[in-house]
């Protein structure tokens, strides 16, 4: 399908998955891909982790936006910008916006925020999502970003790890029950509207082609659809060994065929490395098939890059790979509003 | 196995032998749960009565142990070892409920607390509660259930010290200043403070709604009198965690981002004078032979398009990733002093049964 159509299906994309599956990498690659298509992109990070900035080769993100990858160039790329939205900052801003500046200082100073957050769990999550909603509304209205960037065509939210992602996204529903009046109630209602409107928001789930991550992803997917009512985009399968023809050849014979010889011990190393890769590729193929079987969502495969550390060039490479996968997708059916309690697709 | 490997395996066996409690810490996705199960299994193999506690919401330990489900009480896993192996899945809420029941003066007080919505939020969702209850469970298993070795898998977090601090922090929370202010109506001399507190609470109510505050007040009222019991218990848990027979084992993978997190972890532990007793690095790529990745890559380029070219390209890729991993690991090794470092390679299959655990164990403890 057309990459721009894919990237503009909703202004907010929430990237979620269990720890260690490369959620941050996928967030970065998706943002780079969008920017390369000329879409101004804003990454929002919620846990204060340094990983996201690191893959762009930058200092850790703050509540103020920074340019993670500048646009420009002959292809008219847009900027990738990034910032954090942490609950404490979001709360202070929220209280100040509601004329409660004086209280906000005391709430933090006395530690009463903890009491309030316990009294109404999910309040921190709703503050984060409320802030994201505010960013989305501003961008939709064509307003520049808070620090003067172009209005964001796409906001990519790097969600907390999977178990927590469900709680995080369920917070709006929970709070609607717990807090029945007042500004927090309104905020929760607005956030729920955002989450359940597929034209404004969708969730991209990330997994590795391994057994446990596939199990957890399937569970998370059904929870998110049933209990949150959020619309799921394609599943991103990260770290897939790219196919390489010739690995089943015998090294000695292959050397003879190429008219060359091998150093002592080299045949053994070549054979063992090839066998290892083929075995892992078989396992991966099994898990990819199992995922397709359990979860009828389109899959986007990102290659394993054989690196223990990713940098900006790797992110750009993954962004190109992601684009290729999107182009190869059949056009997605027009998203229908998800209904709470609906049967999993 | 190399001499280094043999030394590490022997040191790992000693860590299990000399510990009464092992706390596995590390970020998510590095195989922490499986590692915890393997350490408990080694305990059983050494003839001890060992139990592994998982707090992972994904219930992966149950998979790894081939059990359909684990409950909040230990269940025994049968197998061919001289000791005993038990496992349980921490249920934060019921552990907290038990604690309330233990320390309540009577059934009525316990019930008032258990029924309170604010309490249900604390026991279900308050951050830090899971860590607190894990340390509480560990204490209970160690002190009251007669286990020689308790291995605990911690929640995936970058807040290394949450686990250690959790009991103290929650007790502080229960003993909160605001709570004191709310309680003030019964204490005439604090009336002035109370007026200010009430005004403050009214403002907070405007934001979150009055019911929420009412629930909180009712909870703190019901809880009155139990703080001391909770505090003493928390202090004993803290002492146990600081005991030399309690070992913190750091679990990591060799990827840059997780190594960074593990270093952060190690530094935080060091700040609290807690040594890392062992470092276990899972998901290592194997290193095939001694050759240089760069040379392989050149050969691959010359031979491009032939099967031999593909074989060299593949070898180069693996050698280079293995070298990067060793490089990251060397940085991490600098943070853990002379603790043994054990590498566990990518396994041929996911660990979901005792056979899989035994395979991991062979890397950690190298059957002598």
């Amino acid at each position: 399908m057309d990459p721009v159509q894919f990237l503009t299906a909703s202004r907010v994309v929430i990237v979620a998955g269990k720890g260690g599956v490369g959620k941050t990498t996928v967030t970065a690659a998706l943002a780079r891909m969008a920017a390369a298509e000329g879409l101004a992109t804003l990454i929002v990070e919620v846990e204060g982790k340094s990983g996201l900035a690191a893959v762009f080769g930058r200092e850790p993100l703050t509540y103020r936006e920074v340019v993670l990858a500048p646009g420009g160039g002959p292809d008219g790329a847009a900027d990738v910008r990034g910032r954090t939205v942490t609950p404490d900052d979001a709360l202070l801003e929220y209280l100040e916006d509601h004329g409660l500046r004086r209280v906000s200082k005391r709430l933090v100073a006395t530690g009463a925020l903890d009491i309030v957050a316990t009294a109404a769990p999910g309040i921190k999550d709703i503050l984060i999502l409320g802030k994201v909603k505010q960013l989305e509304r501003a961008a939709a209205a064509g307003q520049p970003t808070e620090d003067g960037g172009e209005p964001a065509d796409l906001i990519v939210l790097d969600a907390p790890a999977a178990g927590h992602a469900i709680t995080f996204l369920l917070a709006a529903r929970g709070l609607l029950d717990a807090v029945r009046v007042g500004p927090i109630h309104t905020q929760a209602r607005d956030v729920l509207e955002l989450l359940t409107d597929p034209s404004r928001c969708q969730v991209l789930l990330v997994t590795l082609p391994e057994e446990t991550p596939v199990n957890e992803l399937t569970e998370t997917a059904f929870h998110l659809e049933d209990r949150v009512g959020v619309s799921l985009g394609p599943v991103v399968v990260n770290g897939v060994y790219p196919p390489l023809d010739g690995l089943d050849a015998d090294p000695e014979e292959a050397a003879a065929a190429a008219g060359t010889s091998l150093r002592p011990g080299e045949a053994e190393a070549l054979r063992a490395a090839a066998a290892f890769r083929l075995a892992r590729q078989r396992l991966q193929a099994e898990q990819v098939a199992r995922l397709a079987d359990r979860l009828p969502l389109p899959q986007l495969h990102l290659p394993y890059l054989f690196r223990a550390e990713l940098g900006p060039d790797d992110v750009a490479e993954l962004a190109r790979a992601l684009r290729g996968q999107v182009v190869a997708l059949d056009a997605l059916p027009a998203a229908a509003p998800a209904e709470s309690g609906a049967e999993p697709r | 196995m190399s001499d280094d490997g043999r030394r590490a395996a022997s040191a790992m066996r000693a860590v299990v032998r000399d510990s009464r409690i092992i706390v596995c810490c590390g970020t998510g996705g590095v195989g922490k749960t499986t590692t915890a199960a393997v350490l408990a299994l080694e305990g059983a193999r050494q003839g001890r009565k060992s139990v592994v506690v998982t707090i992972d919401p994904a219930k992966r330990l149950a998979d790894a142990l081939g059990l359909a489900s684990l409950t909040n009480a230990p269940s025994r896993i049968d197998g061919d070892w001289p000791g005993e192996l038990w496992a349980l899945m921490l249920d934060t809420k019921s552990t907290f409920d038990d604690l309330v029941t233990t320390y309540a003066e009577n059934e009525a007080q316990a019930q008032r607390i258990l029924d309170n919505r604010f309490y249900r939020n604390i026991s279900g969702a308050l951050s830090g509660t899971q860590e607190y209850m894990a340390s509480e469970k560990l204490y209970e298993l160690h002190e009251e259930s007669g286990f020689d070795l308790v291995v605990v898998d911690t929640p995936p977090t970058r807040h290394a010290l949450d686990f250690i601090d959790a009991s103290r922090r929650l007790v502080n929370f229960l003993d909160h200043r605001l709570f004191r202010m709310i309680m003030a109506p019964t204490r005439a001399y604090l009336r002035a403070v109370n007026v200010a507190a009430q005004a403050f609470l009214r403002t907070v109510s405007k934001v979150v709604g009055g019911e929420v505050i009412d629930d909180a007040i009712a909870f703190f009222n019901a809880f009155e009198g139990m703080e001391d019991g909770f505090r003493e218990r928390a202090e004993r848990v803290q002492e146990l965690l600081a005991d030399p027979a309690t070992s913190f084992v750091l679990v990591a993978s060799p990827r840059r981002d997780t190594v960074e997190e593990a270093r952060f972890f190690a530094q935080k532990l060091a700040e609290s004078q807690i040594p890392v007793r062992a470092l276990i690095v899972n998901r290592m790529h194997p290193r095939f032979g001694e050759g240089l990745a760069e040379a392989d890559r050149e050969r691959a380029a010359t031979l491009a398009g032939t099967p031999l070219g593909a074989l060299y390209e593949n070898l180069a890729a693996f050698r280079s990733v293995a070298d990067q991993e060793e490089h990251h690991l060397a940085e991490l090794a600098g943070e853990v002093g002379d603790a043994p470092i054990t590498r566990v390679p990518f396994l041929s299959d996911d660990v979901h049964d005792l056979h899989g655990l035994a395979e991991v164990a062979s890397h950690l403890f190298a059957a002598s």
Side-chain angles (χ1 to χ4, degrees):
Chain A
M1 84 184 278
D2 173 49
V4 173
Q5 191 196 339
F6 170 79
L7 292 161
T8 52
S10 65
R11 194 177 306 266
V12 175
V13 172
I14 300 173
V15 180
K18 89 180 204 86
V21 298
K23 203 162 46 70
T24 297
T25 309
V26 171
T27 299
L30 180 69
R32 271 305 284 266
M33 173 191 167
E37 297 290 338
L39 300 170
T41 304
L42 176 66
I43 296 178
V44 173
E45 204 275 343
V46 299
E47 287 184 317
K49 289 206 271 193
S50 60
L52 188 65
V55 293
F56 284 101
R58 306 276 166 171
E59 292 299 304
L61 295 177
T62 65
Y63 203 66
R64 283 185 67 86
E65 242 169 68
V66 291
V67 175
L68 288 172
D75 304 327
D79 287 348
V80 176
R81 304 169 77 93
R83 62 172 293 172
T84 61
V85 172
T86 53
D88 287 359
D89 289 326
L91 175 68
L92 285 178
E93 193 182 315
Y94 175 85
L95 290 172
E96 287 180 10
D97 288 354
H98 288 75
L100 296 168
R101 176 191 290 265
R102 224 166 37 84
V103 183
S104 69
K105 297 258 157 28
R106 252 186 99 188
L107 259 178
V108 174
T110 57
L113 176 57
D114 285 342
I115 301 253
V116 174
T118 307
I123 213 157
K124 292 188 170 181
D125 298 332
I126 222 65
L127 287 166
I128 291 174
L129 288 166
K131 180 68 196 176
V132 171
K133 180 218 66 186
Q134 188 197 337
L135 295 172
E136 182 245 5
R137 291 285 82 180
Q143 294 168 12
T145 62
E146 290 184 355
D147 292 299
E150 266 186 84
D153 296 306
L154 178 66
I155 297 172
V156 187
L157 176 66
D158 190 0
H164 188 189
I166 296 170
T167 333
F168 178 67
L169 295 174
L170 269 176
R173 265 195 208 292
L175 272 181
L176 274 185
D177 295 338
V179 183
R180 293 190 194 97
V181 287
I184 291 285
H185 182 87
T186 315
Q187 188 85 324
R189 199 193 53 214
D190 290 354
V191 165
L192 198 59
E193 267 173 29
L194 167 70
L195 293 177
T196 54
D197 183 348
S199 68
R200 291 171 66 196
C201 172
Q202 57 178 324
V203 172
L204 225 57
L205 290 169
V206 184
T207 187
L208 290 174
E210 294 177 28
E211 186 174 334
T212 312
V214 163
N215 291 349
E216 290 188 19
L217 176 113
T218 313
E219 241 173 72
T220 306
F222 287 139
H223 274 310
L224 288 179
E225 279 205 326
D226 292 355
R227 294 170 61 194
V228 187
V230 72
S231 159
L232 298 177
V235 175
V236 180
V237 183
N238 190 29
V240 178
Y241 281 100
L244 182 58
D245 284 338
L247 288 184
D248 44 4
D250 178 78
E252 311 270 13
E253 288 169 18
T260 182
S261 61
L262 300 173
R263 287 190 298 274
E266 200 77 338
E268 198 185 315
L270 288 166
R271 197 178 287 119
F276 182 83
R277 175 145 168 184
L278 289 171
R280 293 224 43 104
Q281 277 175 337
R282 263 194 306 277
L283 281 176
Q284 291 194 340
E286 277 169 32
Q287 295 307 324
V288 163
R290 207 165 61 88
L291 177 63
D293 191 43
R294 292 174 137 211
L295 196 66
L297 288 175
Q299 296 180 0
L300 302 170
H301 293 186
L302 284 185
Y304 179 57
L305 296 185
F306 290 93
R307 308 242 203 303
E309 172 177 22
L310 298 180
D313 292 346
D314 303 310
V315 171
E317 185 177 345
L318 290 172
R320 285 190 294 274
L322 188 59
R323 186 181 191 281
Q325 289 280 300
V326 168
V327 169
L329 273 186
D330 292 337
L332 297 173
E339 280 168 38
S340 115
E343 284 298 302
R345 275 185 278 173
Chain B
M1 179 171 273
S2 67
D3 282 355
D4 279 355
R6 248 191 300 277
R7 263 197 300 278
S10 147
M12 275 308 305
R13 285 196 299 273
V15 168
V16 173
R17 188 187 62 225
D18 300 338
S19 303
R20 301 289 310 269
I21 287 169
I22 297 177
V23 180
C24 290
C25 31
T27 49
V30 297
K32 200 154 36 97
T33 311
T34 305
T35 303
V38 171
L39 294 173
L41 171 65
E42 173 65 15
R45 285 177 164 180
Q46 292 183 6
R48 308 178 68 195
K49 182 176 175 186
S50 68
V51 60
V52 54
V53 181
T54 180
I55 24 195
D56 193 48
K59 301 173 175 50
R60 270 173 293 159
L61 182 65
D63 296 348
L65 295 171
L67 296 175
S69 65
L70 291 173
T71 63
N72 200 37
S75 36
R76 186 165 176 181
I77 296 144
D78 293 321
D80 182 22
W81 40 73
E84 292 177 20
L85 177 61
W86 297 69
L88 74 82
M89 167 91 75
L90 180 77
D91 178 336
T92 305
K93 187 175 180 315
S94 53
T95 306
F96 211 145
D97 289 354
D98 291 348
L99 208 54
V100 166
T101 311
T102 306
Y103 285 98
E105 276 165 35
N106 51 51
E107 222 170 279
Q109 185 187 22
Q111 207 52 49
R112 262 203 316 282
I113 293 172
L114 298 182
D115 289 343
N116 179 278
R117 192 161 64 173
F118 187 83
Y119 167 75
R120 291 206 300 271
N121 294 339
I122 293 183
S123 58
L126 180 62
S127 76
T129 304
Q130 205 179 33
E131 286 85 352
Y132 176 28
M133 287 306 127
S135 59
E136 163 59 31
K137 196 75 189 176
L138 177 156
Y139 180 83
E140 178 198 318
L141 291 167
H142 176 265
E143 294 288 318
E144 294 159 14
S145 304
F147 285 100
D148 308 326
L149 175 66
V150 182
V151 184
V152 60
D153 167 31
T154 57
T157 174
R158 65 178 267 108
H159 315 294
L161 297 182
D162 273 8
F163 184 76
I164 307 159
D165 285 347
S167 55
R168 194 178 45 75
R169 280 196 299 125
L170 208 94
V171 169
N172 283 347
F173 173 80
L174 295 174
D175 198 19
H176 199 274
R177 263 179 67 196
L178 191 73
F179 154 53
R180 292 279 176 224
M181 290 198 249
I182 298 164
M183 293 298 105
T186 59
R187 298 167 198 176
Y189 62 95
L190 279 175
R191 189 138 299 158
V193 177
N194 189 43
V195 172
Q198 296 294 347
F200 177 54
L201 285 178
R202 268 200 305 279
T203 319
V204 175
S205 304
K206 275 189 213 147
V207 182
V208 296
E211 285 171 56
V212 163
I213 300 295
D214 292 347
D215 284 340
I217 293 176
F219 167 76
F220 284 118
N221 269 318
F223 197 76
E224 185 146 42
M226 283 171 60
E227 309 93 284
D228 290 343
F230 266 68
R231 185 176 302 101
E232 277 166 33
R233 180 89 169 189
E235 277 163 13
R236 291 205 298 274
V237 170
Q238 298 258 299
E239 278 165 24
L240 183 61
L241 289 176
D243 192 282
T246 297
S247 298
F248 284 78
V249 169
L250 191 54
V251 186
S253 86
R255 270 179 18 187
R256 179 78 199 182
D257 47 347
T258 64
V259 162
E260 283 302 323
E261 297 277 322
R263 288 182 69 176
F264 176 78
F265 240 88
Q267 286 160 6
K268 287 287 167 194
L269 287 170
E271 282 168 21
S272 300
Q273 269 82 50
I274 296 172
V276 173
R277 288 291 168 77
L279 169 63
I280 295 171
V281 187
N282 290 321
R283 304 176 70 91
M284 292 283 293
H285 280 93
R287 181 78 167 76
F288 300 103
E290 300 295 324
L292 296 177
E294 206 37 57
D296 301 334
R297 205 167 282 126
E298 279 166 24
R299 284 209 90 176
T302 333
L303 294 159
T306 69
L308 189 61
L311 289 168
Y312 268 109
E313 186 186 329
N314 182 53
L315 183 60
F318 279 109
R319 281 176 169 173
S320 110
V321 77
D323 292 347
Q324 290 171 45
E325 289 179 353
E326 277 301 333
H327 178 71
H328 291 156
L329 201 49
E331 290 173 14
L332 183 52
E335 306 279 355
V336 300
D338 51 7
I341 301 173
T342 310
R343 296 162 175 78
V344 180
F346 259 108
L347 302 171
S348 56
D349 208 344
D350 264 25
V351 174
H352 42 48
D353 54 18
L354 286 171
H355 181 76
L357 291 181
E359 190 185 341
V360 180
S362 73
H363 294 286
L364 288 182
F365 307 107
S368 44

